[in-house]
Amino acid sequence: MNIASTIISQIKTIDPMAFSAWGVRSISVGESNITFKTTGMTPWKGYVKVEYDHGMDLYRVSFFKLRKSVVTTLATVHDVFAEDLVNIIDNFVENNSKLTKKVNYSQ
Protein backbone atom coordinates (compact mmCIF):
# COMPACT_ATOMS: atom_id res chain seq x y z
CA MET A 1 0.00 0.00 0.00
CA ASN A 2 1.45 3.38 -0.95
CA ILE A 3 1.42 6.47 1.27
CA ALA A 4 -1.48 8.18 -0.52
CA SER A 5 -3.68 5.10 -0.01
CA THR A 6 -2.65 5.02 3.65
CA ILE A 7 -3.68 8.66 4.12
CA ILE A 8 -7.10 8.00 2.56
CA SER A 9 -7.52 4.86 4.65
CA GLN A 10 -6.61 6.67 7.88
CA ILE A 11 -9.12 9.45 7.22
CA LYS A 12 -11.87 6.93 6.35
CA THR A 13 -11.08 4.90 9.48
CA ILE A 14 -11.42 7.95 11.72
CA ASP A 15 -14.61 9.14 10.00
CA PRO A 16 -16.09 7.05 7.16
CA MET A 17 -18.26 10.01 6.06
CA ALA A 18 -15.56 12.71 6.17
CA PHE A 19 -14.93 12.96 2.43
CA SER A 20 -18.67 13.06 1.74
CA ALA A 21 -19.22 15.70 4.43
CA TRP A 22 -16.54 17.88 2.83
CA GLY A 23 -18.13 17.45 -0.61
CA VAL A 24 -15.09 15.73 -2.10
CA ARG A 25 -15.76 14.35 -5.58
CA SER A 26 -12.26 13.30 -6.54
CA ILE A 27 -8.89 12.90 -4.88
CA SER A 28 -5.58 13.50 -6.63
CA VAL A 29 -2.82 11.27 -5.35
CA GLY A 30 0.91 11.90 -5.38
CA GLU A 31 3.77 9.78 -4.16
CA SER A 32 3.35 10.85 -0.53
CA ASN A 33 0.33 13.18 -0.58
CA ILE A 34 -3.30 13.62 -1.50
CA THR A 35 -5.10 16.75 -2.72
CA PHE A 36 -8.84 17.30 -2.89
CA LYS A 37 -11.32 20.13 -3.32
CA THR A 38 -14.05 20.82 -0.79
CA THR A 39 -17.44 21.71 -2.27
CA GLY A 40 -21.11 21.39 -1.49
CA MET A 41 -22.51 22.53 1.82
CA THR A 42 -19.20 23.41 3.48
CA PRO A 43 -18.72 27.09 4.39
CA TRP A 44 -15.14 27.08 3.07
CA LYS A 45 -14.57 25.91 -0.47
CA GLY A 46 -11.03 25.35 -1.63
CA TYR A 47 -8.28 22.78 -1.86
CA VAL A 48 -6.75 20.65 0.89
CA LYS A 49 -3.38 18.94 0.56
CA VAL A 50 -2.26 16.31 3.06
CA GLU A 51 1.46 15.52 2.81
CA TYR A 52 3.42 12.88 4.67
CA ASP A 53 6.66 14.10 6.27
CA HIS A 54 9.01 11.10 6.14
CA GLY A 55 11.53 12.54 8.61
CA MET A 56 8.98 13.38 11.30
CA ASP A 57 6.54 10.53 10.56
CA LEU A 58 3.77 13.14 10.75
CA TYR A 59 1.58 15.03 8.29
CA ARG A 60 1.43 18.58 6.97
CA VAL A 61 -2.02 19.88 5.97
CA SER A 62 -2.29 22.88 3.64
CA PHE A 63 -5.41 24.83 2.71
CA PHE A 64 -5.30 26.81 -0.50
CA LYS A 65 -7.31 28.49 -3.26
CA LEU A 66 -6.65 28.21 -6.99
CA ARG A 67 -7.79 31.12 -9.14
CA LYS A 68 -6.67 31.66 -12.74
CA SER A 69 -3.63 29.39 -12.27
CA VAL A 70 -2.54 31.30 -9.15
CA VAL A 71 -2.22 29.27 -5.95
CA THR A 72 -2.84 31.16 -2.71
CA THR A 73 -2.00 29.19 0.44
CA LEU A 74 -4.26 30.31 3.26
CA ALA A 75 -2.88 28.14 6.05
CA THR A 76 -0.56 25.21 6.70
CA VAL A 77 -0.62 23.03 9.80
CA HIS A 78 2.64 21.20 10.51
CA ASP A 79 3.31 18.11 12.63
CA VAL A 80 -0.19 16.62 12.47
CA PHE A 81 -0.70 13.12 13.87
CA ALA A 82 -2.83 10.70 11.84
CA GLU A 83 -5.55 10.67 14.49
CA ASP A 84 -5.85 14.49 14.23
CA LEU A 85 -6.23 14.70 10.43
CA VAL A 86 -10.03 14.72 10.36
CA ASN A 87 -10.35 17.27 13.19
CA ILE A 88 -7.84 19.67 11.63
CA ILE A 89 -9.45 19.47 8.19
CA ASP A 90 -13.02 19.48 9.48
CA ASN A 91 -12.48 22.49 11.73
CA PHE A 92 -10.91 24.56 8.96
CA VAL A 93 -13.44 23.56 6.31
CA GLU A 94 -16.47 23.92 8.56
CA ASN A 95 -15.46 27.02 10.50
CA ASN A 96 -11.99 28.32 9.73
CA SER A 97 -12.53 31.70 11.40
CA LYS A 98 -12.78 30.14 14.86
CA LEU A 99 -10.03 27.59 14.27
CA THR A 100 -7.38 30.13 13.32
CA LYS A 101 -7.58 31.50 16.85
CA LYS A 102 -6.95 28.06 18.39
CA VAL A 103 -4.34 26.56 16.09
CA ASN A 104 -0.99 28.07 15.22
CA TYR A 105 -0.95 28.19 11.43
CA SER A 106 2.10 29.18 9.50
CA GLN A 107 2.02 30.50 5.98
Side-chain angles (χ1 to χ4, degrees):
M1 180 181 283
N2 65 22
I3 294 171
S5 296
T6 300
I7 296 169
I8 294 168
S9 174
Q10 288 172 331
I11 290 172
K12 286 182 176 181
T13 298
I14 295 166
D15 184 351
M17 298 303 295
F19 288 115
S20 295
W22 300 327
V24 176
R25 292 193 180 103
S26 65
I27 300 172
S28 300
V29 293
E31 187 174 316
S32 61
N33 64 71
I34 64 168
T35 304
F36 56 88
K37 184 177 182 183
T38 62
T39 61
M41 300 298 288
T42 61
W44 184 81
K45 291 164 183 59
Y47 292 88
V48 179
K49 184 174 189 175
V50 180
E51 302 173 84
Y52 178 67
D53 183 339
H54 295 277
M56 296 290 291
D57 195 27
L58 297 170
Y59 294 101
R60 178 175 38 257
V61 182
S62 300
F63 302 91
F64 63 95
K65 297 276 188 173
L66 178 62
R67 299 281 189 263
K68 297 183 180 180
S69 300
V70 177
V71 175
T72 305
T73 302
L74 303 173
T76 299
V77 183
H78 298 273
D79 304 335
V80 177
F81 291 98
E83 58 267 19
D84 296 327
L85 282 172
V86 170
N87 284 336
I88 294 291
I89 297 168
D90 198 50
N91 285 331
F92 191 91
V93 169
E94 294 297 328
N95 197 355
N96 65 335
S97 60
K98 289 184 181 177
L99 182 66
T100 54
K101 296 175 186 170
K102 298 177 184 175
V103 176
N104 183 17
Y105 288 111
S106 62
Q107 300 215 6

